[in-house]
Amino acid sequence: MRSRLIARWQGILLSLIGIVATVWLAATDRLGLYIHPRYFWFTVIMAGIAAVLVVAAFAFAPLREAEHEHEPGAELGGEDGPDHEPAHRHRSEASRAGRLRGALAALIVAGAAIALLVLPPTTLTSSTATQRSINSTGSTLGGEAPTLVGGDTSQFSVKDWALLLRQNPDAEYFAEQDVAVTGFVTPSPDDPENVFYVARFVVTCCAVDAQPVGVPVYFPDWEESFAADQWVAASGAFVPNEGSTSAEPLLLSPDDVTVTEQPEQPYVF
Amino acid sequence: MSRLPTPSPPALHAPHTRPPRRRASVGLALGLGLLVLFAGIRLFAPDATGDLLSNSVQDFFTLSISVVIESLPFVFLGILLSIAVQVWLPEGFLLRHLPRNAVARRVTISLLGVLLPVCECGNVPLARGLILRGLTVGESMTFLLAAPILNPVTIITTYQAFGWDDGILVARILGGFVIANLIGWIYSRHPSPMSLLTPTFQASCAHAHDEVRSSRTRRSVDMFTTETAAMLPALFVGSAVAGLIQVAVSRDLLVTLGQNPVLSVFALMALAFVIAICSNVDAFFILAFGSTFMPGAVVAFLVFGPMIDVKMLALMRTTFTARTLVQLTIIVGLASAALGLGVNAVA
């Protein structure tokens, strides 16, 4: 009986968990950790509408249940509802299946509550950045590159520099350019001792499609000073890759690398 | 459900023992209590709980949560639209003006998704409602398969994700249209189409007009309860599987498969089958793989996924027999694979 109740109300419970999590993330300005800003309003408005329906669902008695109670014979005699199980001939089997379904439903509700209500929201980590291979070709990096000549390079993001490096890996092009970027430390897969990336995730829709981009920094034995996933601000100039086994043709030779706070909006769009 | 006393919470069974107003306020209090409880957990959950998890486990949660937060409003929208069509529109409003010629009728039905921009999750209950209102089984399949692809939300998100690159958008729209009409035509030739439906659903077709007598508002709220109970567990489990695959499947394996014009098509169809993501957002999902796979594979993913996947089969099983669904899966699978391979051959 209890399991049937859970199975029936799990949609409302899951809605409520999703709505509370969404509204809280929006109120604390952290919705951007999961989805692109263009969906903020849509997401919040739909959460509001759903909240009204959830409250109404608590206030009204479920119709179908009420209907069954009016017709005690309904369950034995006929199959009167689209959601009705044809298993009435095998009562014990049906009740076992019902218990199992109830247990599964409870498990899903509990899992959703832990994921959405208990765990603190965070960004993706360097383990995903490494797994998704930084600066891999693709539409995320296919966007318009900013123009370097005459552009305001002080405003350039990690993504802008990564785009430029891909499109024009020519040392002379970058000569005399001051580079300043902020991102999290991700070890280079082909030369993890001497090179790390100052990386950011580019998000097109939600965190699932996050693509890592990064500027490679030549910093022998960087692990003595920094740890993976730490946020740093690095400045310097691009120089041809000479001392490293990394496949990158140009590396940032840093004048200065300092540990910094994670920015409010850790992803770039 | 009998009249015997049960140990369940009184608020949920109150209507027959208490006056409705009393019942409503008990229910409201219970709902608001849960709301306060959930908000309280969220506000006071210590930040340190996250430090217990390793990076990959943390990323699994972040990725799964992002699918939930992204899809949830679209699922709510789908449920609202299906409530609007079934409860608020006059009966037969959508079906009255359909052409009489069978082919023209199916073509029109496959474009109904333009009026009803729901993803596949919201479509199953809608298609069931349409069969009850007089659509044939073949026609309902055309609607079921076409609407998730041929609807404005899906087309816009696919355009946002891919633009006109490699003809992915055009192949998706045309492919979805042709496959849906093909299926509708095949099943329209079936000698006894009612045998394609589960006995339970056949029975409810026979009682189609014994509707529960109640106000529209109450029926709307009741539909919201039953629809969220069907959709949201599937959404949460699907999101968790999607997050798990993202963390577990190495990109090297995908890159290797993705460079083969034949294998990449089947690899992505398998992915679409397993992750069961909503058609309104699947274009963005596959964008992350866009670099890895050939365009034909992406097209196969975007055409096959909205029509057939784990979650869809579970939802459709409420209406169609298992045998029908196996046939449907095979035909749609072969057609999507042919489309994907064709796009790869041209690209």
Side-chain angles (χ1 to χ4, degrees):
Chain A
M1 193 62 228
R2 188 160 303 151
S3 60
R4 270 194 76 100
L5 276 178
I6 297 174
R8 172 162 180 92
W9 286 90
Q10 65 173 333
I12 293 299
L13 288 178
L14 290 174
S15 304
L16 196 57
I17 291 171
I19 292 164
V20 168
T22 303
V23 171
W24 178 75
L25 284 171
T28 55
D29 236 358
R30 281 185 275 194
L31 213 44
L33 290 175
Y34 298 107
I35 57 175
H36 191 283
R38 71 170 163 271
Y39 297 111
F40 283 6
W41 279 110
F42 175 64
T43 304
V44 170
I45 290 170
M46 291 314 293
I49 297 174
V52 173
L53 282 158
V54 166
V55 170
F58 276 111
F60 292 150
L63 287 177
R64 210 165 303 277
E65 226 154 339
E67 181 191 23
H68 285 308
E69 296 202 349
H70 283 305
E71 306 162 29
E75 186 145 359
L76 289 165
E79 306 169 37
D80 58 339
D83 295 322
H84 218 59
E85 296 297 324
H88 57 272
R89 291 177 211 97
H90 312 283
R91 286 222 148 218
S92 65
E93 221 171 275
S95 80
R96 206 175 315 134
R99 265 202 301 279
L100 190 68
R101 222 175 11 213
L104 266 178
L107 202 68
I108 294 173
V109 171
I114 289 171
L116 286 164
L117 298 180
V118 176
L119 290 179
T122 65
T123 58
L124 289 169
T125 66
S126 60
S127 99
T128 296
T130 314
Q131 199 230 24
R132 292 188 174 182
S133 59
I134 281 193
N135 299 349
S136 60
T137 54
S139 27
T140 13
L141 272 181
E144 289 277 301
T147 42
L148 182 60
V149 183
D152 180 8
T153 53
S154 67
Q155 297 298 313
F156 277 18
S157 68
V158 169
K159 184 189 177 189
D160 297 325
W161 287 115
L163 273 171
L164 282 170
L165 283 177
R166 257 179 64 81
Q167 290 180 353
N168 207 344
D170 174 14
E172 284 185 16
Y173 184 63
F174 291 100
E176 314 286 312
Q177 285 290 341
D178 292 326
V179 179
V181 285
T182 304
F184 60 92
V185 174
T186 299
S188 157
D190 31 19
D191 188 8
E193 275 163 24
N194 301 315
V195 176
F196 69 84
Y197 285 89
V198 174
R200 297 287 275 261
F201 281 105
V202 177
V203 168
T204 335
C205 163
C206 52
V208 159
D209 64 49
Q211 276 289 6
V213 295
V215 170
V217 178
Y218 185 64
F219 196 118
D221 299 321
W222 59 269
E223 268 180 290
E224 288 169 13
S225 321
F226 309 105
D229 285 314
Q230 206 165 31
W231 282 81
V232 294
S235 59
F238 286 119
V239 296
N241 176 0
E242 276 156 8
S244 160
T245 53
S246 161
E248 298 279 352
L250 292 176
L251 298 172
L252 184 76
S253 160
D255 300 330
D256 183 42
V257 182
T258 45
V259 174
T260 176
E261 288 280 294
Q262 174 176 326
E264 282 210 356
Q265 184 46 271
Y267 300 142
V268 275
F269 300 102
Chain B
M1 310 283 122
S2 67
R3 284 167 182 276
L4 292 173
T6 58
S8 53
L12 302 172
H13 273 257
H16 304 283
T17 52
R18 288 178 204 191
R21 187 165 303 186
R22 176 88 190 278
R23 198 252 160 227
S25 48
V26 170
L28 258 185
L30 185 74
L32 291 177
L34 271 175
L35 179 71
V36 171
L37 174 71
F38 286 168
I41 295 176
R42 181 65 282 183
L43 287 173
F44 296 110
D47 268 4
T49 41
D51 302 340
L52 302 172
L53 308 173
S54 73
N55 271 359
S56 332
V57 178
Q58 236 178 53
D59 284 351
F60 158 72
F61 278 109
T62 307
L63 293 166
S64 306
I65 292 170
S66 86
V67 180
V68 170
I69 300 275
E70 175 65 34
S71 320
L72 199 57
F74 287 103
V75 174
F76 284 145
L77 179 67
I79 293 175
L80 289 180
L81 282 169
S82 105
I83 291 174
V85 167
Q86 289 187 63
V87 179
W88 296 89
L89 284 185
E91 194 169 337
F93 182 83
L94 283 171
L95 302 183
R96 200 184 303 146
H97 305 292
L98 289 176
R100 288 181 186 269
N101 171 288
V103 174
R105 203 170 146 91
R106 279 194 299 272
V107 167
T108 317
I109 288 169
S110 61
L111 299 177
L112 268 186
V114 175
L115 296 177
L116 309 164
V118 280
C119 59
E120 69 266 33
C121 338
N123 260 359
V124 178
L126 204 50
R128 292 161 63 100
L130 291 175
I131 297 179
L132 294 177
R133 297 262 156 109
L135 216 60
T136 68
V137 177
E139 287 166 354
S140 78
M141 285 184 179
T142 302
F143 171 74
L144 208 51
L145 300 182
I149 295 176
L150 295 169
N151 84 59
V153 180
T154 304
I155 293 172
I156 289 169
T157 52
T158 311
Y159 174 76
Q160 281 178 342
F162 290 102
W164 299 107
D165 292 353
D166 302 318
I168 288 175
L169 178 62
V170 175
R172 179 179 207 189
I173 295 173
L174 289 181
F177 177 79
V178 170
I179 294 174
N181 279 283
L182 174 74
I183 296 280
W185 175 74
I186 291 173
Y187 281 101
S188 73
R189 301 176 61 83
H190 197 281
S192 64
M194 287 308 272
S195 69
L196 299 168
L197 303 175
T198 57
T200 319
F201 190 62
Q202 284 178 33
S204 50
C205 286
H207 300 250
H209 297 280
D210 316 347
E211 287 207 336
V212 188
R213 269 192 214 137
S214 199
S215 78
R216 286 180 163 181
T217 317
R218 272 201 66 175
R219 272 161 59 205
S220 303
V221 172
D222 196 60
M223 258 193 81
F224 182 79
T225 313
T226 47
E227 293 303 289
T228 51
M231 302 302 151
L232 294 195
L235 173 70
F236 278 74
V237 171
S239 307
V241 175
L244 198 62
I245 289 177
Q246 292 282 308
V247 175
V249 175
S250 122
R251 289 276 158 127
D252 287 345
L253 175 69
L254 289 177
V255 170
T256 322
L257 288 176
Q259 278 150 3
N260 182 311
V262 177
L263 285 182
S264 66
V265 171
F266 292 100
L268 271 203
M269 279 171 57
L271 187 65
F273 185 79
V274 179
I275 63 162
I277 203 168
C278 199
S279 70
N280 288 339
V281 292
D282 61 354
F284 290 117
F285 176 83
I286 202 60
L287 188 62
F289 296 91
S291 49
T292 325
F293 283 98
M294 299 192 64
V298 174
V299 169
F301 176 91
L302 293 176
V303 171
F304 186 66
M307 297 185 174
I308 305 283
D309 60 45
V310 188
K311 180 188 66 194
M312 269 304 269
L313 288 181
L315 292 174
M316 289 196 289
R317 186 65 184 83
T318 58
T319 311
F320 300 105
T321 60
R323 191 185 147 86
T324 313
L325 291 181
V326 170
Q327 292 169 356
L328 197 66
T329 307
I330 292 172
I331 304 172
V332 173
L334 288 176
S336 313
L339 178 68
L341 295 173
V343 170
N344 272 352
V346 175

